[in-house]
Amino acid sequence: MLARLGGGLAVLIPIVVLSTFITYSLGALSNSDPAATILGQDAATPAAVAHLNHVLGLDRPLLVQYGDWLSRAVRGNLGASYFTQIPVAQSIGQRLPVDLSIAILAVLLGALLGGVAGTLAALRRGRWFDRGVTIACSAVSTLPAFVVGIILVVVFAVGAHLLPANGYVPLAAGTTGPWLAHIILPALALSLQLAADVARQLRTSLVGVLEQNYVTGARVRGLPFRRILFRHALRNAAGPALVIVGNDFPVMLAGAVAAEAVFSLPGLGQLLLQAAQNRDIPVVQGLLLIVSGFVVVVNLVVNVTLSVLYRTEGVSA
Amino acid sequence: MRAARLSPGGTPRTPRGRADSAAFPGTPRTPARISALRLPSARIAIVILTLIAVATAFGAVLAPQSPLAIDPGALFQGPSPRHLLGTDYLGRDELSRLLAGTRLSVATALEAVGIGLVLGAPLGIGCVFVGRWFDFAANRVADALMTLPYLFFAVAVTAALGNGLVQAMLPVGLLLAPGYFRITRAATLEFGRAQYVEAATLLGASKPYLIRVHVLRKVLPTITVTTATLTGAALLSVSFLTFLGIGVQPPTPTWGGVLSSDLNYLNLAPWAPFIPGALIAVTVGALNALADAFRDRAGAGTLALPELTSPEASAAASTVPGTGGPVTSEEVADAA
């Protein structure tokens, strides 16, 4: 496991260096002059701008600036907003729970919905339920998550008044109700795409596995069907679907940012939009670094876990 | 199953058979693109896409009313003969706004796809023919780009380059490039190692000749399918960016912009967002249906677009025992 993790990390190093460099270069690409922006029109004398550029370190070569920024970022210091002076790490820390809640719930919902639909479709192959699942999967894959979100808002919030249409309540000890009520619709909107992918994949592989000799063999030995399904067939068929679930988690995080817009949630996406409008480069760089770093780390962890899990399970089965 | 259907000539047409006949110029064959168009789903998709193309070209002219004309006497109206799709919060005609907004939405989606194609596909072919170091470097760059979530990156880039739709789609194109790169490289690897390519090399064929005659022709169907799929993805990105208000100034109509303004007045007109929403979904659906139809018909020679995920994904996919049956003795030995 450690060797696998080490190997994965070695491959990741050039990737991380490149993607963080692209992220950092965004600041240099912008021809906006942060010092002049911060100082405002009246105070922006050439001397004051030069002084502030020196204080901010913007008069050094790009590579030096990048190295400095990355080494501080690794220690948790992402700099401060040009405008509010609030540390970027603090703003991100406040908003990350919103997107994480939605992403995690969406992955759980997607895996559950997709798993059940895919299994039932494989068991009732060619019947109406199977066709229904296939049609639903195709329909869902053409509907963007934000349109699904709007449909859910109209149906559940505006139409039936069952759930709040927007806003976020932090998870407090003892009461999960309000928190869940605010994130269930965005999570559901995001989960449908994953559910469709999982259902399709699971159906295909389960149909294949159920035709294998060892399943027939288990039937001949008189094992109850439920036991054959869970202990033999699903265990072998779930691999590719699990890979989809694992790999979709980082995608979900980016998707959660999209869902914020529809449900007006105070998450990373809104922070990004504000920062982009104000050309608040440190905030934009910090956000991009955190989100892409998250994608890299979760991908690595998920893939190492899946491969290790699958090996050991495979041996014991 | 579909691929085994009889061709007009009456001979069983399998993907393998077609690939072989293509290797011998002069052998008659039915191009996949033609037989794909015989599928009902493809026909419907083509009709939809043709309508969208007409709206892209002549949308502003076809619009029954001015997309910017405000009518305070007719706010939030439902569909009526005068306003076929109703009016928005300023009494502007919804149909006219969607028609006039088509060009900007579609053109910027095509811009992103064009950038992705030009950057990704030649590099994908080049990887196989230039050398191992180039292959390694290009793959690492593609991996790095894939860690950047593209909508997020697109918004971030507008912070640096200014708030414009062209600027916003530049990064989307850049991040579509790895998709093209991966799929073209995979297809080129597959066809570049075929025996007839080896034979041609031994006969002294130059690399440009090999690429032009043997590789490009085979890779083209794959690129076409990828283009259809990625155009759908790009269109979704444009719609979402304009929905967020990135890249366009408020009175200018776009699909996402109409959707966003409708969303603000759900209590007054709950049905309104469904019109632009359905327009986006139907267009993307048509592009996907066309890609699927073409993939079905082009058969084994066409690869599916892999999930846009990190390099680790493919590694894990290969280490997890596949769909096929129980653990083999090799795997047991390997794990022990």
Side-chain angles (χ1 to χ4, degrees):
Chain A
M1 161 118 194
L2 275 181
R4 198 179 280 277
L5 194 65
L9 281 176
V11 177
L12 281 181
I13 288 170
I15 297 170
V16 169
V17 169
L18 254 170
S19 78
T20 52
F21 185 70
I22 295 170
T23 302
Y24 189 76
S25 324
L26 275 184
L29 270 176
S30 72
N31 31 20
S32 75
D33 191 348
T37 320
I38 295 166
L39 288 168
Q41 270 186 340
D42 300 330
T45 59
V49 168
H51 176 69
L52 191 58
N53 269 336
H54 185 69
V55 172
L56 293 172
L58 295 174
D59 54 351
R60 293 171 301 163
L62 182 65
L63 273 178
V64 176
Q65 286 186 46
Y66 163 71
D68 199 36
W69 173 74
L70 194 63
S71 72
R72 272 185 290 135
V74 169
R75 282 173 276 147
N77 178 4
L78 291 168
S81 158
Y82 281 155
F83 295 95
T84 60
Q85 303 303 327
I86 299 173
V88 176
Q90 188 190 326
S91 317
I92 293 177
Q94 275 171 0
R95 289 154 180 271
L96 194 59
V98 179
D99 298 286
L100 272 184
S101 310
I102 298 173
I104 292 171
L105 189 63
V107 168
L108 293 179
L109 277 175
L112 193 70
L113 281 175
V116 172
T119 308
L120 288 179
L123 295 180
R124 290 169 174 59
R125 184 151 58 112
R127 306 230 212 110
W128 63 266
F129 185 86
D130 183 25
R131 288 200 195 119
V133 168
T134 308
I135 292 169
C137 286
S138 315
V140 163
S141 60
T142 68
L143 279 175
F146 66 104
V147 172
V148 176
I150 293 167
I151 296 173
L152 292 177
V153 168
V154 170
V155 173
F156 288 100
V158 177
H161 293 288
L162 282 175
L163 291 162
N166 51 36
Y168 177 74
V169 176
L171 183 60
T175 54
T176 50
W179 169 76
L180 200 61
H182 281 89
I183 64 165
I184 186 85
L185 286 185
L188 191 61
L190 275 184
S191 70
L192 289 186
Q193 182 69 58
L194 173 66
D197 291 346
V198 168
R200 253 188 283 209
Q201 180 62 58
L202 192 61
R203 181 196 172 275
T204 310
S205 39
L206 195 57
V207 163
V209 167
L210 287 174
E211 283 170 358
Q212 294 286 321
N213 282 340
Y214 65 90
V215 171
T216 317
R219 278 191 177 170
V220 170
R221 290 206 308 278
L223 291 177
F225 185 70
R226 183 169 296 189
R227 188 182 153 93
I228 297 175
L229 179 66
F230 285 104
R231 296 289 296 270
H232 297 246
L234 269 180
R235 180 170 281 195
N236 279 306
L242 276 179
V243 172
I244 291 181
V245 174
N247 288 325
D248 259 21
F249 184 70
V251 181
M252 284 291 173
L253 192 70
V257 171
E260 283 169 29
V262 176
F263 294 91
S264 335
L265 299 167
L268 295 178
Q270 297 211 334
L271 186 64
L272 176 73
L273 275 178
Q274 273 171 20
Q277 270 162 12
N278 296 332
R279 298 194 148 196
D280 200 343
I281 300 293
V283 179
V284 171
Q285 287 169 334
L287 277 169
L288 209 53
L289 180 74
I290 294 294
V291 173
S292 57
F294 211 87
V295 172
V296 172
V297 171
V298 173
N299 261 343
L300 180 70
V301 171
V302 162
N303 288 319
V304 170
T305 317
L306 277 180
S307 58
V308 169
L309 190 85
Y310 243 80
R311 294 256 148 157
T312 40
E313 262 206 2
V315 175
S316 67
Chain B
M1 194 168 69
R2 276 169 171 164
R5 219 189 261 173
L6 292 185
S7 72
T11 45
R13 220 170 32 69
T14 61
R16 180 55 31 215
R18 237 168 352 91
D20 287 342
S21 71
F24 300 101
T27 314
R29 64 191 176 118
T30 313
R33 63 180 177 279
I34 292 176
S35 64
L37 299 187
R38 298 212 177 94
L39 292 174
S41 65
R43 286 186 179 170
I44 297 169
I46 296 244
V47 170
I48 293 170
L49 293 177
T50 309
L51 289 176
I52 298 293
V54 170
T56 307
F58 310 109
V61 185
L62 288 175
Q65 292 167 31
S66 161
L68 302 178
I70 294 170
D71 182 0
L75 310 183
F76 302 116
Q77 286 194 344
S80 66
R82 185 167 150 67
H83 301 287
L84 284 176
L85 295 178
T87 60
D88 71 357
Y89 69 107
L90 291 173
R92 295 177 295 195
D93 185 48
E94 193 102 342
L95 176 64
S96 305
R97 285 186 67 73
L98 287 175
L99 275 174
T102 305
R103 180 178 293 179
L104 192 57
S105 307
V106 172
T108 41
L110 292 178
E111 172 206 334
V113 173
I115 294 171
L117 176 65
V118 169
L119 288 179
L123 281 175
I125 295 177
C127 262
V128 180
F129 287 93
V130 173
R132 290 185 68 88
W133 60 271
F134 183 78
D135 190 34
F136 181 83
N139 268 300
R140 295 294 84 74
V141 173
D143 293 343
L145 288 176
M146 279 183 161
T147 64
L148 297 168
Y150 60 99
L151 287 174
F152 215 81
F153 187 58
V155 177
V157 167
T158 60
L161 297 183
N163 186 8
L165 207 49
V166 175
Q167 287 95 314
M169 291 314 280
L170 210 69
V172 174
L174 183 67
L175 298 189
L176 288 180
Y180 269 113
F181 169 77
R182 287 267 164 92
I183 198 87
T184 317
R185 180 174 170 274
T188 310
L189 272 178
E190 189 186 328
F191 297 118
R193 284 178 187 158
Q195 236 170 12
Y196 57 81
V197 174
E198 207 177 315
T201 317
L202 290 176
L203 288 170
S206 67
K207 275 181 183 174
Y209 175 86
L210 279 180
I211 292 173
R212 193 162 40 86
V213 172
H214 289 303
V215 175
L216 210 53
R217 228 174 256 177
K218 295 294 179 57
V219 174
L220 220 51
T222 305
I223 293 181
T224 315
V225 171
T226 310
T227 302
T229 316
L230 290 185
T231 307
L235 204 59
L236 280 185
S237 310
V238 182
S239 308
F240 187 68
L241 288 172
T242 51
F243 174 78
L244 291 177
I246 296 288
V248 275
Q249 296 306 313
T252 315
T254 53
W255 290 1
V258 173
L259 185 60
S260 157
S261 71
D262 286 344
L263 191 60
N264 289 329
Y265 301 94
L266 273 184
N267 287 317
L268 295 164
W271 44 267
F274 289 103
I275 298 165
L279 181 62
I280 296 168
V282 164
T283 312
V284 175
L287 284 165
N288 286 344
L290 199 62
D292 283 346
F294 196 79
R295 184 155 41 224
D296 278 1
R297 285 305 154 109
T302 317
L303 303 170
L305 188 67
E307 292 280 312
L308 294 175
T309 45
S310 88
E312 299 300 310
S314 45
S318 57
T319 51
V320 172
T323 61
V327 179
T328 63
S329 57
E330 265 173 21
E331 277 164 0
V332 176
D334 203 341

